[in-house]
Amino acid sequence: MSDNGGAIAIKGFNYQKATIMLVMINNYHKQNFKVIPESKEDFEVHVDNDIYFIQVKGTQKLSVNSLSRRTKKETKIVKSIIEKNLEPGTDTNKRKIFVHSLADTTKKDMVSEDGTLVTPIYKLSDEQKKTIIDSLNLNQNQELRLQNQKFYITPFSNDLTLASKHLKGEMVEKDLLVTKKRANLVLGELAQEIDSKSEIEVFSDADISRKIIDSNFLKEVFVSVERKDKFDDILEKLPYNQLRKMKIKLEKTKFLFSYQSLKEKVKSTIDVEELMDMSDEEVVDFIVEEIRKIDSTIKSKELMIAISIDCYCEIGGELT
């Protein structure tokens, strides 16, 4: 039983990550955009001057009754899905519950409208709101917040394969990426960042600020992924055996931002015009020699090659 529970938890978290990525892809270019995973809700979104508290539920066929049902855990009463989503923030903040399906009887009574983050969104009918207010005995403040609570049915279920396929399609449609390989890299980078930020525990507002993923990070992901794609293309053309290439790739994954200062120094010594008539192999060798002159402490040839190729990619990116 515990093994199955673990599988369900992992599947649910994957669905949550996919919904965060969907919002990122559709909104990262907007003013003041940022996402905060696992904050006061499953995730929180800031865009323009609005704040959204978003709860994610991968359960099938949710109804008004299941959304407003309280449960009992040992001796404690656990609040309903709707109540939890009404708790954080202020009366003017917006609230969303993301699901992959609603019961037909619930959905048919809801009102569809265009959304800002995602579209279409669904709001409760007056009759559904009255049922919820009465069943949960909501106070005046909660009733006010209920007016800003909307529902979104994601275009994918909690099947990660289908979610991934849809997200790649979204990126291609928005001209963010053009290759399947690069789309996979972006999803991997975003998933890693969401995981990293989700693990930060919140004890104060300062902790929440450390969990922010903003539009600058997202733009950098698209740039860095393009460079990683170029890195692999250049490495593949070089006359090294597969063992050395594997080690160079391993060195690349290790250094991340550690050698950015060195790369900037190396690039400042290079006249780009000198590189124009060289082959890729000659450029990489040339930059390796520049690295040796600036930092004699690096002994690994594969590390120097990795830094050299990364420099080469950055130089190319700066020309565009």
Side-chain angles (χ1 to χ4, degrees):
M1 180 66 73
S2 59
D3 286 345
N4 186 48
I8 291 169
I10 292 167
K11 189 175 183 181
F13 186 61
N14 282 337
Y15 176 65
Q16 182 171 316
K17 280 192 287 192
T19 61
I20 295 174
M21 290 180 205
L22 180 67
V23 172
M24 286 177 169
I25 291 165
N26 281 279
N27 297 277
Y28 81 96
H29 59 285
K30 294 180 181 175
Q31 188 174 8
N32 302 322
F33 175 78
K34 59 186 175 183
V35 170
I36 309 173
E38 297 292 351
S39 178
K40 297 171 184 175
E41 257 296 7
D42 287 335
F43 68 106
E44 184 178 328
V45 176
H46 296 225
V47 63
D48 297 325
N49 296 315
D50 292 320
I51 297 175
Y52 298 78
F53 293 103
I54 301 174
Q55 191 168 157
V56 181
K57 291 296 169 189
T59 313
Q60 290 186 356
K61 301 288 184 183
L62 284 165
S63 64
V64 166
N65 286 338
S66 57
L67 289 163
S68 57
R69 184 182 298 125
R70 291 170 178 151
T71 56
K72 191 172 182 179
K73 189 175 182 180
E74 297 175 353
T75 58
K76 185 180 178 182
I77 300 297
V78 179
K79 292 181 179 179
S80 67
I81 294 168
I82 284 176
E83 283 177 291
K84 288 177 183 175
N85 189 239
L86 298 177
E87 286 184 338
T90 68
D91 295 346
T92 59
N93 295 149
K94 300 184 178 183
R95 301 161 197 286
K96 298 278 186 290
I97 298 176
F98 280 26
V99 299
H100 72 75
S101 66
L102 287 167
D104 292 339
T105 52
T106 292
K107 184 181 175 182
K108 74 178 180 64
D109 291 333
M110 287 181 162
V111 180
S112 171
E113 61 183 33
D114 290 336
T116 303
L117 291 182
V118 286
T119 199
I121 54 173
Y122 297 86
K123 62 181 182 180
L124 297 163
S125 67
D126 291 341
E127 187 175 341
Q128 287 172 321
K129 287 176 189 173
K130 186 177 185 310
T131 299
I132 290 166
I133 290 167
D134 292 344
S135 65
L136 294 175
N137 193 27
L138 297 184
N139 60 37
Q140 193 173 16
N141 177 256
Q142 290 171 313
E143 286 186 38
L144 184 61
R145 294 186 178 200
L146 188 65
Q147 302 304 316
N148 277 331
Q149 189 178 70
K150 309 287 174 62
F151 296 79
Y152 175 64
I153 302 171
T154 59
F156 46 77
S157 67
N158 58 1
D159 181 317
L160 192 62
T161 302
L162 295 177
S164 175
K165 186 179 293 186
H166 180 87
L167 293 170
K168 291 173 192 174
E170 288 275 340
M171 286 189 280
V172 170
E173 185 179 319
K174 290 175 174 54
D175 292 329
L176 295 175
L177 302 155
V178 292
T179 66
K180 181 179 177 182
K181 175 185 175 184
R182 207 176 289 170
N184 285 332
L185 290 171
V186 167
L187 293 183
E189 292 277 351
L190 295 183
Q192 187 176 26
E193 184 71 1
I194 292 167
D195 282 343
S196 173
K197 298 294 187 181
S198 297
E199 289 169 3
I200 298 172
E201 295 186 71
V202 176
F203 300 103
S204 68
D205 288 344
D207 295 321
I208 291 178
S209 67
R210 292 169 54 223
K211 294 170 74 71
I212 291 172
I213 305 172
D214 63 17
S215 57
N216 290 328
F217 168 79
L218 293 165
K219 289 170 186 174
E220 181 57 35
V221 164
F222 293 124
V223 172
S224 65
V225 162
E226 184 178 14
R227 286 179 187 160
K228 187 177 188 303
D229 209 5
K230 289 178 181 175
F231 183 101
D232 291 344
D233 287 343
I234 292 168
L235 179 59
E236 192 57 38
K237 295 173 185 175
L238 297 178
Y240 308 134
N241 64 30
Q242 289 303 309
L243 189 60
R244 172 154 283 171
K245 287 180 180 179
M246 287 168 63
K247 191 170 180 185
I248 291 167
K249 282 187 177 182
L250 182 61
E251 293 292 355
K252 172 69 169 72
T253 61
K254 285 180 185 176
F255 65 69
L256 296 174
F257 299 109
S258 305
Y259 292 96
Q260 193 58 42
S261 175
L262 172 60
K263 286 190 291 180
E264 293 302 325
K265 289 178 184 176
V266 170
K267 287 190 293 180
S268 71
T269 68
I270 294 173
D271 180 354
V272 177
E273 292 301 320
E274 289 184 39
L275 308 182
M276 293 300 185
D277 295 324
M278 296 183 186
S279 68
D280 288 337
E281 183 181 359
E282 288 171 333
V283 170
V284 171
D285 289 343
F286 178 84
I287 297 175
V288 164
E289 290 307 312
E290 294 300 309
I291 292 169
R292 280 200 179 102
K293 291 175 190 175
I294 293 170
D295 189 343
S296 60
T297 64
I298 300 175
K299 304 301 180 186
S300 166
K301 182 173 182 180
E302 288 76 22
L303 176 56
M304 283 192 286
I305 293 169
I307 297 170
S308 175
I309 298 172
D310 215 37
C311 273
Y312 188 11
C313 293
E314 289 186 10
I315 290 168
E318 288 164 7
L319 292 176
T320 58

